[in-house]
Amino acid sequence: MQGQAYIGRFAPSPSGPLHFGSLIAALGSYLRARSQQGKWLVRIEDIDPPREVAGASTLILSTLEAYGLYWDDTELYQSTRLNVYEAKLQQLLADEQAYFCQCTRKQIQAMPDSYDGRCARLHPPLTHGAIRIKNTAAIAQFHDQLMGNVSVDKAFAEEDFIIKRRDGLYAYQLAVVMDDAFQGITEVVRGSDLLTSSARQISLFQQFHAPVPEWLHLPLACDAPGHKLSKQNHAQAIDNKAPQQSIQAALGFLGQAKVDIDAPEIMLKQAVEQFDLAAIPQQQEILL
Ligand SMILES: [Zn+2]
């Protein structure tokens, strides 16, 4: 990282208010960035309208502010980037680095390991359907700043995965990689539920000839063994009016020393000064 300014990010999807699990990701990425005198950006991942909740983006941003988690630059909304994603897809199709696939869920389930690439071999090629990347830069192992060497299933890593869905929505992997590259992100800090996604994203960075960021996967907050907090299982929203307790609890979860109870900005300032990467506990159990 020497000679290169640190740029980190927090990238929530507006599918509900922030809960304790998302606070961990926000705070962890914030502390890491600020302790490196780096930038901390916020990106709203709003490219899945059916899963979005009206007003959630505004609520997320006001919660970050209430917690003293001020970001640099203007927040980026993925919904403003659809033309860029589409142009990239068209270029990948033209370069035969991607192809259409019309396989049904049933056909895919009948394949032995993962998707077998059969639609790539059709002549003439299909002209509509889902779009898959021709995965020529697959990686099954990568370095995590906290977990060390991480391995994912080889068949999973090598799969020609979907970069545009059959329903016309841009796939998470494509949008995230294009935006991390666009924003110059040097390190991705997020929950370890995205560990396998990281392997796929590294292969896309490589295939796009974009610099690959570093990775740091934080442990996940669970409300029961093996049951992570998420918007999908209706984790409770964190309280905008009493951020001090949640900040202290999140610091404790991340293995960080307590700070003096004060205004959130002052608590965070102390937390940045005290930040100790090595004290963050590792995820013991991989939750996928
Ligand atoms: Zn297919």
Side-chain angles (χ1 to χ4, degrees):
M1 201 73 62
Q2 238 154 25
Q4 186 189 19
Y6 185 104
I7 306 177
R9 46 70 154 191
F10 173 58
S13 56
S15 52
L18 294 185
H19 52 78
F20 188 69
S22 32
L23 176 63
I24 300 289
L27 184 64
S29 57
Y30 175 90
L31 295 178
R32 175 73 170 158
R34 294 301 188 223
S35 69
Q36 308 271 309
Q37 291 82 46
K39 273 188 166 188
W40 186 65
L41 307 181
V42 168
R43 183 169 74 224
I44 302 288
E45 303 203 324
D46 56 344
I47 49 164
D48 193 351
R51 286 180 57 185
E52 278 159 36
V53 173
S57 299
T58 313
L59 182 59
I60 288 170
L61 295 176
S62 65
T63 301
L64 291 175
E65 286 173 336
Y67 277 68
L69 292 161
Y70 298 109
W71 57 96
D72 295 305
D73 303 346
T74 309
E75 62 278 11
L76 179 68
Y77 289 82
Q78 286 193 318
S79 57
T80 64
R81 302 253 306 147
L82 304 183
N83 291 341
V84 184
Y85 306 148
E86 188 58 37
K88 184 72 179 177
L89 284 171
Q90 293 308 321
Q91 181 209 321
L92 291 169
L93 287 166
D95 294 346
E96 296 184 7
Q97 287 190 62
Y99 59 91
F100 287 103
C101 166
Q102 292 176 3
C103 295
T104 62
R105 188 176 297 248
K106 206 171 169 184
Q107 281 174 306
I108 294 167
Q109 275 166 356
M111 297 175 194
D113 296 314
S114 54
Y115 181 72
D116 64 9
R118 66 182 62 172
C119 290
R121 297 186 286 272
L122 295 176
H123 293 287
L126 298 168
T127 54
H128 62 279
I131 300 177
R132 291 179 181 273
I133 188 80
K134 205 176 272 178
N135 190 352
T136 55
I139 69 113
Q141 267 198 3
F142 64 94
H143 176 77
D144 181 270
Q145 306 279 34
L146 205 56
M147 304 171 86
N149 229 3
V150 174
S151 298
V152 302
D153 179 69
K154 193 163 172 289
F156 171 86
E158 290 176 352
E159 185 176 50
D160 287 349
F161 53 88
I162 287 179
I163 51 176
K164 188 177 188 182
R165 288 162 33 176
R166 186 197 302 254
D167 59 11
L169 295 180
Y170 297 97
Y172 167 74
Q173 313 292 11
L174 177 81
V176 165
V177 168
M178 288 192 63
D179 291 347
D180 281 340
F182 172 67
Q183 296 187 289
I185 302 301
T186 59
E187 184 177 74
V188 175
V189 180
R190 59 187 180 190
S192 50
D193 51 334
L194 289 165
L195 211 50
T196 54
S197 278
S198 298
R200 292 194 154 178
Q201 289 169 19
I202 294 168
S203 66
L204 279 188
F205 278 109
Q206 292 183 341
Q207 199 153 342
F208 295 170
H209 304 291
V212 182
E214 305 285 342
W215 306 89
L216 200 172
H217 291 88
L218 301 169
L220 295 177
C222 296
D223 54 4
H227 194 238
K228 75 166 174 121
L229 292 181
S230 72
K231 287 166 191 161
Q232 283 69 46
N233 58 36
H234 309 292
Q236 208 187 344
I238 50 172
D239 190 350
N240 263 11
K241 296 196 179 64
Q244 280 87 355
Q245 266 57 38
S246 299
I247 290 174
Q248 198 76 290
L251 286 171
F253 182 85
L254 289 169
Q256 304 299 303
K258 280 198 156 71
V259 295
D260 303 323
I261 295 290
D262 207 318
E265 296 89 320
I266 295 170
M267 294 175 73
L268 293 186
K269 189 167 177 284
Q270 191 186 348
V272 168
E273 284 159 10
Q274 293 175 178
F275 181 67
D276 181 5
L277 176 66
I280 301 176
Q282 282 188 34
Q283 181 75 36
Q284 292 305 316
E285 182 192 359
I286 304 296
L287 304 170
L288 301 171

